Amino acid sequence: MGLALTGCGNAIDCAVNGDNLRGRVTYGQNVAIHGEANVVVQYSTSSFATDTVSDPQSNLQGLLTVPYGFCVPSGTYQLRAFQDLNKNGELDVGEPWGRLDGTDSGDAAYLGRTVTASTDETAGRVTDANITIDNP
């Protein structure tokens, strides 16, 4: 009897097929890269009104683009990223940040990315949730 993988967010599914919500954080031209600061990527289902999940990414090499990924259950997610200059894990005034909004100026509303349950290794996955840190 085989094991049925019942969709995204399932730890077994993510272990076999990889994270189901992926993208890259890119620094805008007007933002200095601080290699000593973590790049924190956050997702929410409430546009950050109530729930937030964070994942700090090291960028000691000072890369212009940093990949990230999450294993999430089915749902629609909003994403943002920031340089955590003071390393407290919170987005503070003065820290460069950006959000998934389809622009490189950070002036539009959040765009949601929807992850759906699927037993197919590519269906239901989001691989283009790219964020530009564009607010210095």
Side-chain angles (χ1 to χ4, degrees):
M1 177 179 222
L3 176 65
L5 300 178
T6 57
C8 297
N10 175 312
I12 295 172
D13 176 55
C14 286
V16 171
N17 296 314
D19 291 330
N20 55 11
L21 179 59
R22 295 188 302 244
R24 298 184 183 288
V25 176
T26 302
Y27 290 89
Q29 293 178 352
N30 60 340
V31 175
I33 299 172
H34 299 274
E36 72 282 357
N38 284 336
V39 177
V40 177
V41 182
Q42 297 178 322
Y43 71 80
S44 172
T45 57
S46 67
S47 295
F48 302 96
T50 57
D51 62 325
T52 302
V53 176
S54 297
D55 184 27
Q57 305 284 326
S58 174
N59 189 21
L60 294 175
Q61 302 87 356
L63 302 174
L64 292 175
T65 301
V66 179
Y68 73 89
F70 292 103
C71 181
V72 297
S74 296
T76 299
Y77 297 90
Q78 301 83 42
L79 294 125
R80 68 182 178 192
F82 62 93
Q83 283 191 93
D84 193 10
L85 299 177
N86 62 5
K87 300 181 182 178
N88 69 351
E90 301 291 328
L91 175 56
D92 298 309
V93 173
E95 291 181 326
W97 70 282
R99 61 182 170 201
L100 178 63
D101 63 3
T103 73
D104 60 1
S105 64
D107 295 331
Y110 282 103
L111 292 178
R113 288 291 189 261
T114 301
V115 174
T116 58
S118 174
T119 56
D120 183 283
E121 67 182 51
T122 58
R125 298 184 172 296
V126 173
T127 59
D128 65 345
N130 300 321
I131 304 164
T132 299
I133 294 180
D134 48 18
N135 294 298

